[in-house]
Amino acid sequence: MRPFYFSLIGGLILSFIAFFRFDFRRRNSLTFWLLKLFIKFYRRGGYIELRDLDYSAYQMSIGRFLAWQATKILIGTIFLSNAIFGMGIVAALSGVDFGLTNIPRVMSLSFLPMSINDTTPAMAVIPSIPALTILLPPILSAFGFRLILLVGLTILVKAASESIVNYLRTGIIRIPAEVIETLIAIGVAWTGFNLFFPSYIDYNTKIFIIGAFIISAIMILFVYLDRTRTGFIYAYKIKVGAIILILLTIFAIVSIQNSVADARKVEWLGPYVKQEIAVNRYLADIDDVRTVIYNFTAKTHALNSSQLSRIYRDLQTVRLWDWDAAFTKLKPEIGLIPYIDFEDSDI
């Protein structure tokens, strides 16, 4: 029952983040709007009023709106159930430190200078490993679902429905350029935010982050100019040219840095590899590994009962680091005896 309990807790939280709509003033629902549109189209034999095509004109009552939000959360819980995340939330609420307070420092690592003689950045990551592996990935995924469904798809459908209604009324079709630019700005900004938590950080990470936010800011500027400057909305060459110029600049900087790093691997790649080694040593508990050299061929004296009991306790807890190598080492000790073999060397 405990896994089910943790899955339920995790699923409810993630589903609430991903699917609950807070717009109580408009109270729109893309699902019910499409369902209502289909029912009217079927009942009226293909006849639909223009008002029915306008998504922004559809509004639910408060009761139905709240009931639909609760239904979405329950349905989403099934698909977004995550026992590990739920267990982490329960543990965090119980006082377990997941290193969340250290997340801002982790986000700044891409912009900090790295030294091959300094593992301070790795020491900043290590306390936040529980948060970075258990809590943040599901939360970021849930917010990603929200941006795609409740923000991106909703805005796109709303703009498309308004364009269709406007075309049927005036005969003029209008491409919602402002909406497209807004969605691009949101998507690129979200991508840039996710780049603060990559699986690997190097000298190019900050370039990608800065580039993503610059493109997002440029798109927001285009939206502002579209609304304030007459005719700027049709300046497609300027907009496309600006984005291409930024992308080429990012590509040029990354290419130059990669070329320099190929020639100076120790100075450029060494510090980042050193941080990765430090984190991996912590995860594998290598610093706590004790090496004991044992000579298999040496003659040993008889052991008393206390020594045997101590050795037995050690053998119950010790684990060979490289059991393949141990098997290769032990195999020749048997010699050519055909009826003796090692079943397993992983003790």
Side-chain angles (χ1 to χ4, degrees):
M1 292 298 294
R2 298 294 289 181
F4 175 77
Y5 169 74
F6 291 133
S7 298
L8 181 63
I9 295 296
L12 284 173
I13 295 175
L14 295 176
S15 181
F16 179 83
I17 295 173
F19 301 118
F20 191 88
R21 193 185 293 271
F22 294 94
D23 192 358
F24 291 94
R25 185 172 64 88
R26 294 187 179 90
R27 300 191 298 276
N28 300 126
S29 173
L30 183 60
T31 303
F32 276 88
W33 174 71
L34 291 174
L35 183 62
K36 182 179 179 181
L37 192 64
F38 175 77
I39 293 174
K40 286 188 175 181
F41 180 83
Y42 177 77
R43 289 180 176 178
R44 297 176 181 177
Y47 173 75
I48 298 178
E49 298 179 359
L50 290 180
R51 188 176 183 277
D52 297 330
L53 292 174
D54 190 0
Y55 172 73
S56 59
Y58 177 76
Q59 190 177 63
M60 302 175 67
S61 64
I62 295 180
R64 291 184 62 187
F65 181 76
L66 291 175
W68 175 234
Q69 303 312 308
T71 303
K72 287 194 298 182
I73 291 176
L74 293 177
I75 296 175
T77 301
I78 300 174
F79 296 98
L80 299 180
S81 60
N82 191 321
I84 301 298
F85 175 75
M87 183 171 58
I89 291 294
V90 173
L93 295 177
S94 301
V96 178
D97 185 13
F98 277 75
L100 289 172
T101 57
N102 209 38
I103 293 299
R105 190 179 178 189
V106 173
M107 295 176 65
S108 66
L109 292 180
S110 301
F111 301 91
L112 296 179
M114 298 286 179
S115 173
I116 198 170
N117 298 319
D118 183 20
T119 58
T120 302
M123 296 302 105
V125 173
I126 288 174
S128 303
I129 287 177
L132 293 173
T133 56
I134 297 176
L135 299 181
L136 282 183
I139 291 176
L140 292 177
S141 298
F143 273 109
F145 277 119
R146 183 178 188 87
L147 287 177
I148 293 173
L149 297 178
L150 298 190
V151 178
L153 186 60
T154 300
I155 293 176
L156 192 61
V157 170
K158 179 182 178 181
S161 66
E162 290 177 352
S163 297
I164 293 174
V165 171
N166 183 68
Y167 172 74
L168 294 176
R169 286 175 177 172
T170 63
I172 301 174
I173 186 169
R174 179 180 179 274
I175 299 176
E178 300 175 12
V179 174
I180 296 175
E181 292 166 357
T182 302
L183 293 178
I184 293 175
I186 294 174
V188 176
W190 179 247
T191 302
F193 180 77
N194 279 269
L195 289 175
F196 282 106
F197 308 101
S199 58
Y200 184 79
I201 295 176
D202 61 9
Y203 46 83
N204 283 327
T205 304
K206 57 179 175 291
I207 304 301
F208 292 128
I209 294 175
I210 295 173
F213 283 107
I214 288 177
I215 293 176
S216 179
I218 291 295
M219 298 307 297
I220 294 175
L221 178 62
F222 289 161
V223 174
Y224 173 76
L225 294 176
D226 289 342
R227 296 178 178 178
T228 57
R229 298 288 184 89
T230 304
F232 187 81
I233 192 173
Y234 303 106
Y236 300 113
K237 293 182 179 179
I238 296 177
K239 298 176 181 178
V240 174
I243 299 301
I244 292 177
L245 181 61
I246 295 173
L247 292 175
L248 290 177
T249 303
I250 296 173
F251 177 77
I253 295 174
V254 170
S255 299
I256 292 173
Q257 293 200 140
N258 286 336
S259 300
V260 176
D262 288 337
R264 304 175 61 184
K265 289 185 172 61
V266 176
E267 294 85 351
W268 281 65
L269 294 175
Y272 298 98
V273 175
K274 184 64 176 293
Q275 311 307 319
E276 185 179 9
I277 291 174
V279 174
N280 288 336
R281 288 181 67 89
Y282 169 79
L283 294 175
D285 285 330
I286 293 180
D287 294 331
D288 297 330
V289 173
R290 182 168 57 93
T291 303
V292 178
I293 300 175
Y294 184 77
N295 188 357
F296 292 94
T297 60
K299 294 182 179 180
T300 58
H301 299 286
L303 302 176
N304 55 39
S305 59
S306 62
Q307 291 174 323
L308 288 174
S309 62
R310 180 178 60 82
I311 294 174
Y312 179 77
R313 289 196 305 270
D314 292 340
L315 291 178
Q316 293 298 315
T317 57
V318 71
R319 182 180 179 88
L320 293 179
W321 179 250
D322 190 348
W323 63 273
D324 285 329
F327 186 83
T328 305
K329 175 68 176 178
L330 292 172
K331 187 70 173 178
E333 302 298 330
I334 300 177
L336 299 177
I337 304 175
Y339 50 84
I340 297 179
D341 196 4
F342 288 108
E343 181 65 24
D344 191 3
S345 62
D346 183 13
I347 59 174

